[in-house]
Amino acid sequence: SHSNSSRAAIDARLPCTPRAAMTTAEVKLFGRWSYEDVMVTDLSLTDYIAVGKNAHTFLPHTQGRYQKKAFRKALCPIVERLCCFLAQAQGLGFPHLAHALFLAPGLFDEMTTAEVKLFGRWSYEDVMVSDLSLTDYIAVGKNAHTFLPHTQGRYQKKAFRKALCPIVERLCCSMMMHGRNNGKKLMAVRIVKHAFEIIHLLTDKNPIQVYVDAVKNGGPREDSTRVGSAGVVRRQAVDVSPLRRVNQAIYLICTGARNSAFRNIKSIAECLADEIMNAAKESSNSYAIKKKDEIERVAKANAEGLPSDGKGVCARGAAASLRQAAGPCAELARTIGAPRAHVGGQ
């Protein structure tokens, strides 16, 4: 009874309780925009554009589990669905970022009309791929313009879909290797950002263009493959597809940067910048260029189609070196007429 009397005294002193004020006040989005005069003119969409009484919220952040059941997403407030798509498009996943786009007057319009620049600094507009065979596999077009090389796309779910991944993001993914670095994409993004700053300081060029030139120059155009089975195996020179050229170039650039940074006073960002600049200039100081020349040289040697032992060594040369190693024993066996099959058979 004492508690009831004290609660009554408190209620008497208050002009109106907060609960009563909230139930009588009109719900407005962000406290500004009313839902009352919102109409869906297409009757077929009235059940799927949630602007009714149940969808009236102060913030488009209800934390509802709309993905747990089929068609439940139709109950999600339509403005909240827009916020979710915006957060996914920017690759950030922060709901309050999408809220800020609506809270700040004109900010959303500015972001949609402003030019997209990598890390907010480097423009994609003047980036050109001079090799026509690689234009479809080096993604620097309109669909690949991003503020951050972190789109969270599932590019490994289908063959050749990786060609749609922004080329700078592919560099970041390739930097995440060797166990201790697996999954640390933010660290890889930071390394690439610092490397691009160094490239701009040293070359005074757009680092995206320098990196595209490095990828164009770093991939081998000719390689050799094993042909044959069980017995005489030979190495046949073959042309390399454009996608594999891009894959090999990115791998070799990252491998060269990683090897040069190991037990070195230079940071990985500095080594990556040096590797990209040397590859763009086709300098012999680049690890990627040296490996490319080596692969193409072996392929050119195998272009004659001589049988080999599978390691790029001709079978004729291997047989000659074996006879030379046998030396006097072979001559002695040939003199006394012993079967050659037993010579050097141990």
Side-chain angles (χ1 to χ4, degrees):
S1 62
H2 177 71
S3 60
N4 291 337
S5 61
S6 61
R7 185 178 303 166
I10 293 174
D11 291 341
R13 288 196 297 269
L14 292 174
C16 64
T17 61
R19 182 182 297 274
M22 290 188 67
T23 52
T24 57
E26 180 187 358
V27 177
K28 293 184 178 181
L29 182 64
F30 302 117
R32 295 189 61 186
W33 319 115
S34 173
Y35 291 91
E36 298 303 325
D37 51 351
V38 177
M39 298 290 293
V40 182
T41 56
D42 192 334
L43 293 179
S44 63
L45 301 179
T46 51
D47 293 335
Y48 302 99
I49 298 180
V51 290
K53 190 69 174 178
N54 294 332
H56 293 188
T57 57
F58 290 100
L59 283 177
H61 191 7
T62 59
Q63 299 179 336
R65 296 188 295 173
Y66 300 107
Q67 304 296 332
K68 298 293 288 184
K69 197 174 181 181
F71 301 106
R72 188 178 287 177
K73 67 172 71 174
L75 303 178
C76 179
I78 194 66
V79 181
E80 183 172 358
R81 295 196 63 185
L82 176 61
C83 292
C84 295
F85 276 111
L86 284 171
Q88 292 174 8
Q90 297 301 323
L92 299 175
F94 298 114
H96 60 264
L97 172 67
H99 296 165
L101 298 181
F102 288 93
L103 286 170
L107 179 59
F108 183 69
D109 295 332
E110 288 181 19
M111 289 192 65
T112 53
T113 57
E115 179 187 357
V116 178
K117 294 184 178 180
L118 181 66
F119 301 118
R121 295 201 60 186
W122 318 118
S123 174
Y124 293 91
E125 298 302 324
D126 52 349
V127 177
M128 299 291 292
V129 182
S130 57
D131 193 333
L132 292 178
S133 64
L134 301 180
T135 51
D136 293 334
Y137 301 97
I138 296 180
V140 291
K142 188 70 175 177
N143 293 332
H145 292 185
T146 57
F147 291 101
L148 282 177
H150 195 344
T151 60
Q152 299 176 342
R154 296 188 295 174
Y155 300 107
Q156 303 296 330
K157 297 293 286 185
K158 197 173 181 181
F160 302 106
R161 188 177 288 174
K162 66 170 73 173
L164 304 177
C165 180
I167 192 66
V168 181
E169 183 172 1
R170 295 200 64 188
L171 177 66
C172 296
C173 295
S174 187
M175 291 298 294
M176 296 189 298
M177 283 193 186
H178 288 259
R180 61 182 181 177
N181 300 320
N182 287 351
K184 299 180 181 179
K185 193 162 187 178
L186 294 181
M187 182 182 72
V189 170
R190 176 176 51 82
I191 291 171
V192 171
K193 181 179 180 181
H194 291 172
F196 277 20
E197 295 282 355
I198 296 171
I199 291 172
H200 176 68
L201 289 174
L202 295 180
T203 64
D204 200 26
K205 297 179 182 178
N206 188 345
I208 304 177
Q209 182 65 63
V210 177
Y211 169 58
V212 168
D213 293 340
V215 172
K216 175 180 69 72
N217 297 332
R221 295 159 293 185
E222 191 178 18
D223 203 348
S224 52
T225 184
R226 290 166 58 103
V227 177
S229 63
V232 178
V233 178
R234 62 191 181 92
R235 304 274 287 184
Q236 177 67 44
V238 293
D239 295 331
V240 181
S241 69
L243 182 59
R244 179 163 174 81
R245 282 180 59 189
V246 175
N247 297 344
Q248 285 284 90
I250 295 173
Y251 170 78
L252 292 175
I253 288 172
C254 293
T255 303
R258 192 178 297 111
N259 292 344
S260 61
F262 188 66
R263 291 186 177 178
N264 192 348
I265 194 171
K266 294 174 69 173
S267 67
I268 181 68
E270 294 174 295
C271 294
L272 180 61
D274 288 341
E275 180 67 28
I276 291 175
M277 288 187 293
N278 289 330
K281 295 184 294 186
E282 292 189 272
S283 170
S284 60
N285 294 329
S286 168
Y287 175 87
I289 297 298
K290 284 191 289 188
K291 292 294 288 187
K292 170 196 171 184
D293 293 341
E294 178 185 346
I295 292 172
E296 291 182 346
R297 185 169 60 250
V298 172
K300 186 176 181 181
N302 291 320
E304 300 176 4
L306 297 176
S308 68
D309 62 351
K311 298 180 180 179
V313 180
C314 293
R316 295 179 190 174
S321 61
L322 188 61
R323 285 195 300 270
Q324 184 179 1
C329 296
E331 295 295 330
L332 179 62
R334 196 175 296 112
T335 303
I336 63 178
R340 293 187 61 188
H342 298 286
V343 177
Q346 304 299 327

